[in-house]
Amino acid sequence: MLNRRLLRIKVLQIVYSHIFNNEKPLNESEKELIFSVEKSYELYLHFIGLILDIAHQASLKAELIENREVTDRSEAVIYKRLSENKIIAKLTADKEFARKYKKTGQSWNENLTLVKELLNVSFESDFYKKYLEQPDTFSSDKKCILSIISEIFPLNENIFEFLEDKSIYWNDDIDFILEMVYKTIKNIEEKNTIDFFSAFSNETDKEFIITLFRKSILNLNKYTDKIEKQLDNWKLDRVADIDLILIKLAIIEAIEFPSIPLKVTLNEYIEIAKFYSTENSGTFINGIIDKL
């Protein structure tokens, strides 16, 4: 299942969009919510595809070096170490992943310049130089791929620009999705099949965001008066719209999902507020919800 915080953010985004687009029917906004989640999962598959494409470019480079009409072909080893990486081999052999990724219609072929750039940056990194000196083991192979995900991808602005141009639904997803990709690779075992994430691991997951969205839209004004009573020396119209929505989402989640610890719910919305609103929003929201 996708990161729960990311699912809450998706609900926040669609609720905000629905409120300020009064002519939009509820069912259309709900469909957009599900589509938004599916696009996030598509990005997850797309990043794994990027890892494979980088390794494929390494393979092509090694083959090119080995076909040179020269005696020294030792440089090919640098590229072959990645192209023959055991994690890459397991990902490549996974037919279910290949089927799902193909179904998305996404490909990095339209930006091979970026793929080659990431390959070169990886090879020039300190972790890759150490990797070449280490024994050829499953553990060292995994560590190398994890380093590419955690040290190369997040620092490359071209990745962000390319993906944000591809889909408006990916603008705020990249950090969350990279975390999921990292966990997927970290959990790979040599003799087991790969445990990939899914958009919704079961109907309960899907029910969570649909219920949260529906209840939020239908009850959005239900708690306005109660919130206003907690505003010491503060007018309701001075509260940022996004803060007000976050407070209401937290209240509704706490009521509708008692199985989720209240502390978890509050912490999630406080952290989301820090990212989507002002620096002081987290403290403000925490104070209001605590009183309620």
Side-chain angles (χ1 to χ4, degrees):
M1 182 189 72
L2 291 177
N3 182 299
R4 269 286 173 102
R5 184 175 297 172
L6 180 57
L7 293 180
R8 290 179 174 95
I9 288 173
K10 293 295 180 184
V11 173
L12 168 66
Q13 291 171 339
I14 303 302
V15 166
Y16 189 91
S17 173
H18 183 87
I19 291 171
F20 294 100
N21 189 355
N22 296 326
E23 297 180 0
K24 198 167 190 176
L26 181 62
N27 66 326
E28 282 191 21
S29 291
E30 189 174 302
K31 288 178 182 177
E32 186 178 358
L33 173 61
I34 300 302
F35 180 75
S36 177
V37 172
E38 290 171 347
K39 289 296 291 183
S40 295
Y41 184 63
E42 186 178 290
L43 180 59
Y44 165 73
L45 298 174
H46 202 25
F47 263 121
I48 296 174
L50 177 57
I51 297 168
L52 293 179
D53 278 359
I54 290 172
H56 179 63
Q57 288 299 317
S59 176
L60 294 177
K61 188 76 174 179
E63 184 179 343
L64 185 65
I65 294 170
E66 289 180 328
N67 289 334
R68 287 177 182 170
E69 293 183 1
V70 293
T71 54
D72 184 14
R73 298 183 179 88
S74 59
E75 189 185 352
V77 175
I78 300 174
Y79 297 94
K80 290 183 73 173
R81 186 71 189 272
L82 180 59
S83 65
E84 296 176 358
N85 181 290
K86 297 173 183 62
I87 296 295
I88 297 297
K90 284 186 74 72
L91 289 170
T92 303
D94 196 293
K95 294 181 180 179
E96 183 64 13
F97 165 75
R99 183 188 68 79
K100 288 182 177 180
Y101 186 42
K102 183 178 180 180
K103 189 177 179 181
T104 68
Q106 298 294 338
S107 171
W108 293 93
N109 289 337
E110 61 186 280
N111 199 344
L112 287 179
T113 301
L114 175 58
V115 177
K116 292 175 182 178
E117 175 192 332
L118 293 168
L119 173 66
N120 292 332
V121 173
S122 297
F123 283 169
E124 292 169 2
S125 67
D126 290 337
F127 74 76
Y128 198 82
K129 292 171 185 175
K130 292 178 182 178
Y131 172 56
L132 292 173
E133 297 171 356
Q134 294 171 347
D136 187 6
T137 64
F138 190 84
S139 177
S140 63
D141 282 358
K142 181 191 289 190
K143 189 175 180 181
C144 173
I145 302 303
L146 289 175
S147 295
I148 291 175
I149 297 167
S150 62
E151 297 182 33
I152 303 300
F153 288 176
L155 299 178
N156 191 287
E157 293 183 3
N158 291 330
I159 292 180
F160 287 76
E161 290 178 6
F162 175 69
L163 292 175
E164 288 173 355
D165 286 343
K166 290 274 287 183
S167 174
I168 59 171
Y169 293 99
W170 291 347
N171 290 355
D172 298 327
D173 289 4
I174 297 175
D175 289 338
F176 291 103
I177 299 302
L178 281 177
E179 182 182 340
M180 289 173 57
V181 173
Y182 187 93
K183 287 180 179 178
T184 299
I185 302 302
K186 186 178 181 180
N187 291 334
I188 294 177
E189 299 294 338
E190 190 167 7
K191 295 182 180 179
N192 297 338
T193 56
I194 302 174
D195 186 17
F196 290 100
F197 282 91
S198 57
F200 301 105
S201 57
N202 52 51
E203 283 302 312
T204 303
D205 298 332
K206 196 170 185 178
E207 182 183 349
F208 169 74
I209 65 164
I210 291 176
T211 301
L212 183 58
F213 172 71
R214 287 177 181 171
K215 294 291 183 178
S216 298
I217 295 300
L218 297 175
N219 298 303
L220 202 63
N221 297 320
K222 183 177 179 180
Y223 304 101
T224 303
D225 291 341
K226 292 182 179 180
I227 293 171
E228 189 169 21
K229 289 177 183 178
Q230 307 304 325
L231 298 175
D232 297 329
N233 303 316
W234 200 261
K235 296 287 186 179
L236 188 67
D237 57 8
R238 291 184 62 193
V239 179
D241 291 327
I242 196 76
D243 289 353
L244 204 55
I245 293 172
L246 283 167
I247 293 169
K248 292 176 180 180
L249 283 175
I251 295 170
I252 291 165
E253 181 176 317
I255 293 170
E256 297 296 332
F257 299 94
S259 61
I260 300 175
L262 182 60
K263 186 176 181 180
V264 171
T265 295
L266 300 187
N267 285 342
E268 285 293 288
Y269 287 101
I270 289 167
E271 289 303 312
I272 292 171
K274 291 177 183 177
F275 184 79
Y276 278 91
S277 195
T278 67
E279 291 182 8
N280 299 321
S281 288
T283 303
F284 171 73
I285 289 172
N286 183 39
I288 297 299
I289 297 175
D290 187 54
K291 290 179 182 178
L292 288 166

